[in-house]
Amino acid sequence: MKRSTLKKTVVLLGLGLYSMGILSSCSTQSSHAETAAKTDDAIPKELPTVEAELTDAPKVPAPITRSHAAKVVVRLEVTEVVKKMADGVDYTFWTFGGSVPGKFIRIRQNDEVEFHLMNHPDSKNPHNIDLHAVTGPGGGAASTFTAPGHETVFKFKALNPGLYVYHCATAPVGMHIANGMYGLILVEPEEGLPKVDKEYYVMQGDFYTKGDFGAPGLQPFDMQKALDENPSYVVFNGSVGALTGDNALTAKVGETVRLFVGNGGPNLISSFHVIGEIFDKVYDEGGSTAIENIQTTLVPAGGTAITEFKADVPGNYVLVDHSIFRAFNKGALGMLKVEGTEDKKIYSGQIVQKIYQPEGSTVQEMPSAGAPKAAIASSKDMRLELGKTLYAQNCQACHQAEGQGIKGAFPPLAKSDYLNADVDRAIGVVAHGLEGQIKVNGELYNSTMPKLKLSDEEIANVMTFVMNNWSNKGGEVTPDQVKKAKDNYKH
């Protein structure tokens, strides 16, 4: 058979088969197979399950490195616990996870979260949780009303990246928040956050106790003060001193620091500021867009901010609410200690110290209106505890948290030859104030020491605290010694 005849026969055979539906069937099968493959791709695959890492402030869970969504299981227990508000002062906190603020939760955009809320059997109240990161009724509060000894579970999908507050929303809502029921949840964007060297968790809250700042003992909640928005304490991370001394944040020169900042409220707006630093970036209200070169950022009650800055020179950097009496008189004060090599081009330190103009002869006085009655110390240990609170309230702003003073401005109390040489003279300075030049540890100081309106008991307490810290000579100062020293004081 000729090649041309064979070709025609094959074509005709193919047409016949097509007309009989055989080739059509084969084509359809192929089409079905392609459709099935596409359909298989469209079927949602089960997400991998991971347990959420939860941390207590100021620690933060590690950044998320996975490039896909996951089913994240969060287990959070509510406990009602007595903890320290300040030295000598206790408070019954209601907590998410045993601390204030509550555990830091870190997830990724488009994660599917299975949230377990447990209320410890010893709790006296039912609780729930409203996570501002949740899209749904009450942010989860409608699904998590949990009686003591019970557990509730709900699920949500993390649709929006950002830093969000969570809090209890059980009535009376303000009281639950005011007792410490708040924390932060970070929803990282799919691409993750830019890498930094250090991340910390800092959250402000205002507390309302029957006693004024520093009043000792177990303090109950005061609803009238809360309604009047007149807190006894405004603090970072749940207590006075939570971010100072041994608890201070740390970094090294050259490192970039990211602070996840929240404000539990329930009432006050925070003017968050780090003294001696400028925020290179602020993700305002915890959102996705950064603004740059910011000195102080407002953090609303129930809101957040993410701040970033590079530590350029060593030193102690003070975290404050710049509504400044809150920092130095109500506790909203923390510390970042930066270690490393100095850069004199960025910050020289003091170059010149000289008298510009003689100061006036009038010693300033601190106002005394409304000063609370001093607690009576029954032992030296109690006197030390009360004195520590008084020092933080009255002396720390000038003489610094560890008594180091400020060179050229305020003399050191640590290893102070002036103090240790004559304790009665030092008592007189606290009671009557000081005007004129003195020498401390070989350095001249000529600033004004205001006259503090403290009782004999309070002066005895704060002097005992100072004498027993920072390598001073120790001992106990009594109210009787204070009275005699005041009467005999001469500068």
Side-chain angles (χ1 to χ4, degrees), residues 383-404:
R383 199 175 296 288
L384 287 167
E385 287 298 312
L386 294 172
K388 185 176 181 180
T389 300
L390 285 164
Y391 181 84
Q393 187 175 4
N394 295 280
C395 315
Q396 183 169 294
C398 296
H399 296 290
Q400 301 296 290
E402 296 172 0
Q404 69 267 37

Side-chain angles (χ1 to χ4, degrees), residues 132-246:
H132 291 188
V134 170
T135 301
S143 303
T144 54
F145 186 81
T146 311
H150 287 247
E151 176 181 354
T152 57
V153 182
F154 82 107
K155 296 181 180 180
F156 71 93
K157 186 171 183 177
L159 299 177
N160 301 91
L163 181 64
Y164 299 93
V165 167
Y166 66 80
H167 60 84
C168 187
T170 300
V173 178
M175 181 177 180
H176 283 248
I177 297 174
N179 283 335
M181 297 198 75
Y182 50 75
L184 293 183
I185 176 170
L186 173 67
V187 182
E188 284 199 24
E190 289 182 313
E191 67 276 13
L193 293 173
K195 185 179 179 180
V196 295
D197 299 295
K198 294 288 180 66
E199 293 184 327
Y200 291 111
Y201 173 19
V202 178
M203 198 161 188
Q204 182 171 317
D206 31 290
F207 290 87
Y208 303 83
T209 60
K210 286 288 185 184
D212 291 335
F213 183 95
L218 180 61
Q219 290 294 319
F221 170 76
D222 189 318
M223 179 62 84
Q224 190 57 53
K225 281 187 178 179
L227 292 172
D228 294 339
E229 300 186 4
N230 180 27
S232 311
Y233 296 87
V234 185
V235 296
F236 296 137
N237 290 1
S239 66
V240 177
L243 292 175
T244 62
D246 293 339

Side-chain angles (χ1 to χ4, degrees), residues 217-300:
L218 180 61
Q219 290 294 319
F221 170 76
D222 189 318
M223 179 62 84
Q224 190 57 53
K225 281 187 178 179
L227 292 172
D228 294 339
E229 300 186 4
N230 180 27
S232 311
Y233 296 87
V234 185
V235 296
F236 296 137
N237 290 1
S239 66
V240 177
L243 292 175
T244 62
D246 293 339
N247 301 317
L249 309 180
T250 60
K252 295 180 180 179
V253 168
E255 290 185 327
T256 300
V257 179
R258 176 181 290 141
L259 301 178
F260 295 106
V261 183
N263 183 7
N267 290 321
L268 302 184
I269 294 173
S270 174
S271 300
F272 186 72
H273 176 73
V274 177
I275 299 173
E277 268 295 351
I278 298 165
F279 301 134
D280 299 325
K281 292 183 179 180
V282 173
Y283 293 84
D284 193 27
E285 300 195 30
S288 301
T289 303
I291 52 178
E292 298 182 346
N293 303 320
I294 303 301
Q295 58 189 312
T296 301
T297 188
L298 289 174
V299 186

